[in-house]
Amino acid sequence: MCGIVAYVGPREAYPILIKGLYRLEYRGYDSAGICLVRKNDLKIYKCKGKVSELETHLSGKDVSGTIGMAHTRWATHGEPSVINAHPHSSQNKSLSIIHNGIIENYAVLRSELKNRGYHFTSETDTEVLIHLIEDIQTNEKVPVEEAVRIALNQVIGAYAIVVLSKGCPDKIIAARKGSPLVVGIGKDEFFVASDATPIIEYTDNVVFMNDEEIAIIERDKPLKIKTITNQDKTPYVQKLEINLGEIEKGGFDHFMLKEIFEQPRSIRDSMRGRLHADLGFVTLGGIHDYEQKILNADRIIMTACGTSWHAALVGEYLIEDLVRIPVEVEYSSEFRYRNPVIHENDIVIAISQSGETADTLAAIELAKSKGATVLGICNVVGSSIARATHAGVYTHAGPEIGVASTKAFTAQVSVLVLFGLLLAQKKGTIPQSQFYRLLHELNAIPSKVETILKLNDQIRNIARIYKDVKNSLYLGRGYNFPVALEGALKLKEISYIHAEGYPAAEMKHGPIALIDESMPVFFIAPKRGTYEKMITNIEEVKARKGKIIAIITRGDETLKKMADHYIEIPDTDEMLVPLLATIPLQLISYHIAVMRNCNVDQPRNLAKSVTVE
Ligand code: F6R
């Protein structure tokens, strides 16, 4: 995690850097810092806490300078504090660094450097790297970019770094391995950032750096890229496709609310040009060349983390249902370390909003090393996961900035439905009539989501009743078991209320002991699939005086009578219910968190892009 941004060019750097930090704050907000090169000196300012605190700290100070870099931190090594905040300086103060990632062999390097007389002021792994660069530069008398290159050859771990040198007041050195880094190329200026959001208002020409590449960026000179093994690379300049409006709040109080309300559009966008309901077919251009391989696969393994893992679970249910290929779903963090059985005939699908999750990336590398074909379902175009996979399908949900994932989940599920339908048609595993019906049902989902969003006020009223609870349960069966998990995750991560998701029938194997009159139980109980069984589970909770909040199919009079509160959603096919049932749960969590004065977009201890394992 951590967000980094840098600038060199004719403009004042500070406004660009501070705005960039606000855009990147979703990546971590434990501390923030900035370095400006002025009068051949490195001026460093840092603060514990959020970017706004840095901005307040700097108000009235001289922040002039046309080259600089800035950092917003998600703490890994060392507590959130000013001392541990980036940028970090080398011992002789001639160099400064910002870093996103983890230097795994930092302890060894630190003790070697200590033996050579270096003093450490912070507990971070990053400080090790800048002392190492200084050490190499001093001993080998090489330019700073060469010292960075040599140092990176000694480093084990992940990094996106920017280094400034007071001896080179027009030069930025940037490098990456495992953590993302984008270089923006303007007319006579350059930008560097963890993602494109700090860059898009200045230029849409970008270079997504690859692992083990170093960018040597100098004002008025062409961008130079080389590998850490010293091979020159031609920069591959791409056009950005996002616009500024997509990354602003657009009148909503929070990004999370905006993103919840964007779902009719984001689901439509994820299906645009792929779902042809009237013509009766589905296409997924990104995996076209792999279709036959997928159809012949013995098994599909899906790997992901968090909300994306929940989407994968929905995918498991629907691909097995539609295509009859066995599917396994794995937490990336477990998969990568547990010596899994992977065959060349397996298809591994990695699902990730950010496309940067370190565990998912490592799971991909493992699967590739065993010869499997690896596909990606990612939201961020050009992200590390999108590039590490053999092929894939972008979700096109647009930038998701709220730390809690909302529209990315429904876009992932939409893509998984398309994937299942495409294979089912090619494989002939479902009747044509069912296939056409599902196409039309899927096509109708965005407008059904719109009708659910109209219930926002009613949902807010329900949220008010439960905002002070300490615990909660979310229960669902079949396709709605992952929805229960996702509902519980949304509540706990943004409101800090303890929430557990369970398959409804599992409740009696333990969690039922928790139920009393103070326990709200959210049932996802559409009139589809195992509806009758859900009624029995609801009775079991009622008998123990638990409070029932039920997500029901519109017009279900039975559950209206049984539940303490209900939210009606339009009817749809059983396998598409997650796309609808998730929406009220997102809204409940959002409103509860707002009423509890929680920071909805930046919940404590979290970061949007988990680039550490
Ligand atoms: C929860 C949430 C996280 C992410 C997880 C994976 O709201 O956002 O659980 O889903 O960190 O992130 P991606 O999808 O970027 O790989």
Side-chain angles (χ1 to χ4, degrees):
M1 358 269 227
C2 303
I4 66 185
V5 56
Y7 173 79
V8 60
R11 312 181 206 220
E12 281 299 306
Y14 176 72
I16 296 169
L17 298 177
I18 207 83
K19 203 188 239 186
L21 282 190
Y22 277 117
R23 298 241 168 97
L24 294 172
E25 205 170 21
Y26 71 87
R27 302 178 67 86
Y29 25 86
D30 289 329
S31 63
I34 199 159
C35 172
L36 295 159
V37 186
R38 200 162 56 236
K39 296 189 189 127
N40 282 357
D41 203 5
L42 301 176
K43 307 283 184 196
I44 294 177
Y45 312 91
K46 354 195 213 186
C47 248
K48 184 175 168 206
K50 295 184 168 258
V51 177
S52 57
E53 282 163 59
L54 179 69
E55 199 178 10
T56 310
H57 173 66
L58 288 178
S59 88
K61 294 204 170 64
D62 179 5
V63 287
S64 58
T66 55
I67 171 167
M69 62 184 182
H71 185 269
T72 180
R73 178 171 186 244
W74 188 84
T76 57
H77 295 65
E79 59 167 10
S81 66
V82 176
I83 283 177
N84 289 331
H86 298 213
H88 290 284
S89 302
S90 65
Q91 184 139 303
N92 64 14
K93 307 276 183 252
S94 68
L95 302 171
S96 181
I97 189 169
I98 52 176
H99 170 217
N100 166 31
I102 287 186
I103 309 297
E104 284 169 13
N105 58 337
Y106 86 102
V108 179
L109 294 172
R110 190 179 167 112
S111 86
E112 283 170 12
L113 286 161
K114 270 188 170 171
N115 292 341
R116 294 210 283 278
Y118 286 85
H119 299 291
F120 288 81
T121 52
S122 79
E123 301 152 275
T124 65
D125 50 340
T126 306
E127 198 184 359
V128 170
L129 188 49
I130 198 66
H131 287 336
L132 180 63
I133 295 168
E134 179 192 303
D135 192 57
I136 294 165
Q137 201 184 14
T138 318
N139 291 326
E140 306 200 12
K141 308 270 179 293
V142 288
V144 59
E145 58 269 32
E146 182 59 4
V148 169
R149 191 188 71 75
I150 297 169
L152 292 179
N153 277 287
Q154 298 180 32
V155 157
I156 300 170
Y159 52 79
I161 56 164
V162 176
V163 174
L164 294 179
S165 160
K166 72 176 180 186
C168 312
D170 283 327
K171 196 188 271 186
I172 291 174
I173 310 298
R176 77 155 270 180
K177 182 182 175 193
S179 301
L181 208 58
V182 189
V183 180
I185 307 173
K187 194 161 157 281
D188 47 4
E189 57 190 350
F190 292 98
F191 307 80
V192 179
S194 300
D195 70 29
T197 57
I199 299 176
I200 51 172
E201 66 195 272
Y202 310 105
T203 177
D204 56 3
N205 291 322
V206 293
V207 174
F208 291 100
M209 290 184 63
N210 292 311
D211 274 351
E212 305 200 331
E213 282 182 354
I214 303 173
I216 299 124
I217 300 164
E218 270 183 278
R219 217 179 138 170
D220 301 326
K221 290 200 184 158
L223 169 68
K224 262 203 258 167
I225 294 196
K226 57 163 74 177
T227 64
I228 66 167
T229 52
N230 217 6
Q231 286 171 317
D232 289 330
K233 286 282 187 93
T234 310
Y236 173 52
V237 182
Q238 285 177 264
K239 283 265 176 231
L240 278 179
E241 281 177 11
I242 46 173
N243 63 53
L244 206 52
E246 287 181 274
I247 59 161
E248 288 178 342
K249 280 192 202 146
F252 286 88
D253 287 344
H254 298 96
F255 280 111
M256 181 178 177
L257 190 61
K258 177 189 174 226
E259 286 156 9
I260 292 173
F261 271 81
E262 275 175 351
Q263 287 174 108
R265 185 203 50 74
S266 54
I267 296 174
R268 235 177 241 124
D269 285 351
S270 67
M271 304 193 296
R272 194 183 305 284
R274 296 166 171 175
L275 169 65
H276 304 273
D278 290 338
L279 299 172
F281 73 98
V282 168
T283 48
L284 289 172
I287 53 164
H288 184 73
D289 294 347
Y290 286 83
E291 259 171 39
Q292 216 41 53
K293 197 148 195 187
I294 304 168
L295 290 167
N296 294 333
D298 295 330
R299 182 173 64 145
I300 293 175
I301 301 169
M302 297 204 202
T303 184
C305 304
T307 290
S308 299
W309 185 82
H310 298 154
L313 277 186
V314 178
E316 174 183 20
Y317 281 70
L318 62 86
I319 290 168
E320 292 205 344
D321 226 356
L322 291 171
V323 197
R324 313 307 299 154
I325 297 177
V327 180
E328 287 166 25
V329 176
E330 299 266 0
Y331 284 115
S332 304
S333 53
E334 289 297 313
F335 185 67
R336 63 179 290 194
Y337 284 121
R338 71 167 183 78
N339 194 16
V341 177
I342 308 170
H343 301 297
E344 285 183 9
N345 212 22
D346 287 335
I347 300 290
V348 172
I349 303 180
I351 305 179
S352 173
Q353 185 287 127
S354 62
E356 300 297 343
T357 301
D359 283 322
T360 306
L361 256 175
I364 290 168
E365 294 310 334
L366 175 71
K368 285 197 331 198
S369 73
K370 307 263 184 194
T373 299
V374 185
L375 309 178
I377 297 180
C378 289
N379 194 36
V380 178
V381 175
S383 56
S384 303
I385 291 177
R387 286 183 294 150
T389 45
H390 294 114
V393 184
Y394 282 118
T395 44
H396 296 315
E400 191 181 64
I401 294 168
V403 165
S405 195
T406 52
K407 64 174 180 171
F409 174 78
T410 46
Q412 288 163 345
V413 173
S414 305
V415 164
L416 286 163
V417 177
L418 291 173
F419 182 78
L421 286 171
L422 173 78
L423 300 186
Q425 191 188 29
K426 303 259 167 193
K427 228 175 153 104
T429 39
I430 56 170
Q432 285 289 64
S433 55
Q434 186 190 356
F435 177 74
Y436 293 132
R437 191 175 44 72
L438 280 167
L439 292 193
H440 285 284
E441 282 293 337
L442 187 56
N443 209 25
I445 289 292
S447 52
K448 292 186 179 179
V449 172
E450 268 158 25
T451 66
I452 300 172
L453 292 171
K454 292 199 178 114
L455 304 178
N456 188 31
D457 289 344
Q458 180 207 338
I459 295 171
R460 190 192 294 114
N461 290 339
I462 298 174
R464 190 163 291 116
I465 298 166
Y466 294 102
K467 72 179 174 37
D468 294 320
V469 298
K470 301 257 177 308
N471 298 293
S472 58
L473 265 184
Y474 285 71
L475 302 178
R477 282 172 175 256
Y479 284 96
N480 294 313
F481 159 50
V483 176
L485 295 178
E486 177 58 11
L489 176 61
K490 278 306 79 103
L491 186 69
K492 70 184 121 184
E493 70 179 329
I494 62 167
S495 74
Y496 319 138
I497 293 173
H498 173 230
E500 285 195 47
Y502 258 91
E506 273 294 301
M507 176 187 61
K508 55 187 161 301
H509 299 286
I512 198 164
L514 295 167
I515 293 173
D516 61 17
E517 60 286 349
S518 65
M519 175 70 100
V521 185
F522 293 84
F523 276 94
I524 300 104
K527 237 178 168 170
R528 292 276 175 173
T530 49
Y531 173 71
E532 303 297 338
K533 307 279 174 208
M534 285 298 281
I535 301 238
T536 311
N537 298 136
I538 292 173
E539 293 286 12
E540 288 161 0
V541 171
K542 270 181 88 69
R544 285 150 187 93
K545 299 196 167 43
K547 297 280 178 287
I548 314 286
I549 305 107
I551 311 293
I552 63 170
T553 302
R554 192 179 289 155
D556 179 347
E557 299 304 326
T558 311
L559 280 189
K560 281 189 193 173
K561 288 194 198 86
M562 286 176 77
D564 293 280
H565 305 282
Y566 59 83
I567 301 160
E568 291 176 275
I569 59 171
D571 189 26
T572 187
D573 193 275
E574 186 188 358
M575 61 182 70
L576 304 183
V577 172
L579 290 168
L580 302 183
T582 307
I583 314 286
L585 299 180
Q586 295 170 343
L587 283 170
I588 287 258
S589 305
Y590 170 78
H591 289 302
I592 289 182
V594 170
M595 287 169 198
R596 289 165 70 95
N597 288 324
C598 297
N599 187 335
V600 173
D601 282 335
Q602 295 170 347
R604 69 183 179 210
N605 305 336
L606 290 176
K608 182 94 189 136
S609 188
V610 187
T611 53
V612 296
E613 63 170 291

